[in-house]
Amino acid sequence: MFGDILVLMLSAVLIENFIFSRFLGCCPFLGVSEKPDTALGMGCAVIFVMTLASAACNLVYNFILVPFNLEYLYTIAFILVIAALVQFIEMFLRKAVPSLYNALGIYLPLITTNCAVLGAVILNMQKYSDMARGQSFIFSVLFGFFAAVGFTLAIVIFAGVRARVEYADPPKCFKGMPIALVTAGLIAMAFSGFSGATIG
Amino acid sequence: MKKLNLKEQFLDGILYKNPVFVQLLGLCSMLAITTSISNAIGMGAAATAVLICSNLLISLLRKFIPKQVRIAAYVVIISGFVTAVELLIKAYLPSLDRSLGVFIPLIVVNCMILARAEAFASKNGPVASVIDGLAQGVGYTIALLVISAVREILGAGTIAGIPLFGENFKPMIIAILPPGGFIILGCLIALVNKLIHTIEAKQKGEKG
């Protein structure tokens, strides 16, 4: 069990990094990565939401969709759960933990349309739905958490590099997004060094 | 009511406001599935179908949807159409379903579709919205085709599965791996920027 969790952690964070090998969550990755601070804020918000969304969607799938034979409606069900969850977290944080709300608040609404969250939930469903309910719940939550950690790692590294690229002087048509994409490609190349690794 | 301008809408969708190259929307699914031309055609067609249907319905309902919950309403409408498209693909094109995988349900969170709903369909009539959906969808598909053609030629030495070069050709595998996707997209966006700048400079020159 412990070994399984270690393997899951390494593969979710490094080997199958959400951004660099699965291309999930590229929009916020390119949109909110101009400064390392905001990138870290976005990363924390994603960790928070993705872990809770994995738990909630696993429960919805196993206890609502499967008993009623409605598995084919999973896309609608999951996106509604995520949207409601994000709204709920926002309201809860504003009342209960205002300091955290001030730090994460502006990123929360953006997360509803972050394909990393929906992607993680759907991958969880595909990978773990054959397991026993308790086990699939634990693995889904862990996968959600570690995948989000991988996302945060990627976005913070990228923001650090990008802050330096700002001062470089690329050809005019490369200014802004194109040079950022090329930079992302080079970082992805570094990450692909992990991709041959098999553990276990 | 604004007069419909077909030519302008299509030119916008394909070049000046191309969803991928200019607006930088829907990058996630695009980078992931443009490893071959057949994938690109399938994904482009699926996204275009969803975009046209959701634009039509949202524009018909635009007077009934309250402003405060509009995003949630759009997401529900879009995910309904995506589920329909997903079931159709599963039933009739199982091989496409296998190669696109998780990215078909992820059309729901493709920012392009939500952006068109918010920016266009919620403010314009049904006919204009359908045309806008078609133009943007065609622009998206063309962008996917261009990127996947470059990646397939470099990375596999084939175009739509047909070998282009002799047997001695060694493909650049990097082009179909994730790093190549980012780098090639960056270079293509730079190229489109250059193209738009040149056209604009020419038009200015003609006028002045």
Side-chain angles (χ1 to χ4, degrees):
Chain A
M1 183 75 183
F2 184 72
D4 287 346
I5 292 173
L6 192 73
V7 170
L8 188 141
M9 182 183 96
L10 283 175
S11 68
V13 176
L14 294 175
I15 302 168
E16 291 184 330
N17 185 288
F18 251 42
I19 290 175
F20 293 128
S21 83
R22 287 192 198 271
F23 294 119
L24 290 170
C26 287
C27 303
F29 172 69
L30 294 166
V32 246
S33 59
E34 259 133 24
K35 287 190 196 119
D37 305 348
T38 49
L40 193 63
M42 182 72 187
C44 293
V46 169
I47 293 179
F48 201 67
V49 172
M50 206 134 114
T51 314
L52 287 177
S54 298
C57 289
N58 183 274
L59 294 178
V60 166
Y61 186 76
N62 277 337
F63 290 96
I64 297 178
L65 295 186
V66 173
F68 291 104
N69 284 326
L70 291 172
E71 288 99 329
Y72 63 91
L73 287 180
Y74 69 95
T75 318
I76 302 180
F78 289 171
I79 194 81
L80 282 178
V81 169
I82 292 171
L85 190 72
V86 170
Q87 198 73 57
F88 183 73
I89 292 172
E90 201 183 338
M91 290 188 314
F92 175 77
L93 284 184
R94 192 186 295 172
K95 278 260 158 43
V97 204
S99 59
L100 193 61
Y101 175 76
N102 288 333
L104 300 184
I106 45 168
Y107 306 112
L108 281 173
L110 289 175
I111 292 179
T112 312
T113 53
N114 182 339
C115 49
V117 179
L118 187 62
V121 172
I122 293 175
L123 286 173
N124 272 333
M125 180 199 76
Q126 291 174 346
K127 279 207 275 194
Y128 304 125
S129 59
D130 301 334
M131 291 181 174
R133 279 174 179 173
Q135 206 183 3
S136 92
F137 181 75
I138 294 171
F139 273 89
S140 299
V141 173
L142 286 174
F143 180 78
F145 175 73
F146 286 123
V149 170
F151 174 85
T152 311
L153 180 74
I155 196 170
V156 171
I157 292 177
F158 182 58
V161 178
R162 211 174 155 184
R164 292 182 170 232
V165 172
E166 286 289 294
Y167 298 107
D169 186 26
K172 197 179 153 206
C173 55
F174 266 98
K175 272 221 165 71
M177 203 42 89
I179 195 74
L181 279 166
V182 175
T183 316
L186 294 177
I187 304 174
M189 221 180 266
F191 263 79
S192 68
F194 293 111
S195 67
T198 45
I199 330 163
Chain B
M1 195 178 144
K2 251 193 308 187
K3 206 175 154 255
L4 295 180
N5 194 335
L6 271 178
K7 198 183 150 206
E8 205 165 85
Q9 270 190 326
F10 269 95
L11 260 183
D12 268 359
I14 292 167
L15 186 64
Y16 296 111
K17 285 183 189 159
N18 186 294
V20 174
F21 289 135
V22 181
Q23 304 183 67
L24 300 168
L25 295 171
L27 291 182
C28 317
S29 52
M30 194 213 57
L31 282 166
I33 57 96
T34 50
T35 48
S36 75
I37 289 182
S38 54
N39 277 356
I41 294 173
M43 185 70 186
T48 309
V50 173
L51 187 57
I52 293 174
C53 297
S54 64
N55 260 6
L56 175 65
L57 193 60
I58 288 168
S59 127
L60 287 174
L61 294 176
R62 70 185 187 281
K63 299 213 172 81
F64 301 101
I65 297 176
K67 233 182 162 43
Q68 295 85 356
V69 294
R70 65 184 193 288
I71 302 287
Y74 297 162
V75 169
V76 173
I77 291 172
I78 295 169
S79 57
F81 285 118
V82 169
T83 307
V85 167
E86 190 195 352
L87 293 175
L88 282 174
I89 292 180
K90 271 214 174 92
Y92 293 105
L93 300 163
S95 65
L96 186 68
D97 177 60
R98 268 192 300 278
S99 60
L100 295 182
V102 72
F103 287 96
I104 300 175
L106 284 182
I107 296 176
V108 178
V109 282
N110 188 325
C111 357
M112 174 185 76
I113 293 172
L114 201 57
R116 289 328 287 176
E118 172 77 11
F120 198 91
S122 61
K123 299 187 186 94
N124 289 282
V127 180
S129 300
V130 168
I131 293 169
D132 177 74
L134 186 65
Q136 294 283 327
V138 169
Y140 180 72
T141 313
I142 288 177
L144 289 184
L145 278 177
V146 171
I147 299 164
S148 63
V150 173
R151 288 181 76 181
E152 200 184 324
I153 291 171
L154 290 179
T158 61
I159 188 150
I162 306 156
L164 279 184
F165 308 104
E167 278 175 16
N168 293 328
F169 177 73
K170 273 232 172 88
M172 283 164 57
I173 309 264
I174 188 85
I176 47 173
L177 292 179
F182 281 113
I183 295 175
I184 289 171
L185 178 65
C187 296
L188 286 174
I189 291 176
L191 203 67
V192 171
N193 278 349
K194 185 94 189 152
L195 190 70
I196 291 176
H197 282 312
T198 322
I199 293 175
E200 279 172 357
K202 223 183 208 171
Q203 280 172 347
K204 253 185 209 158
E206 275 169 10
K207 274 177 198 160

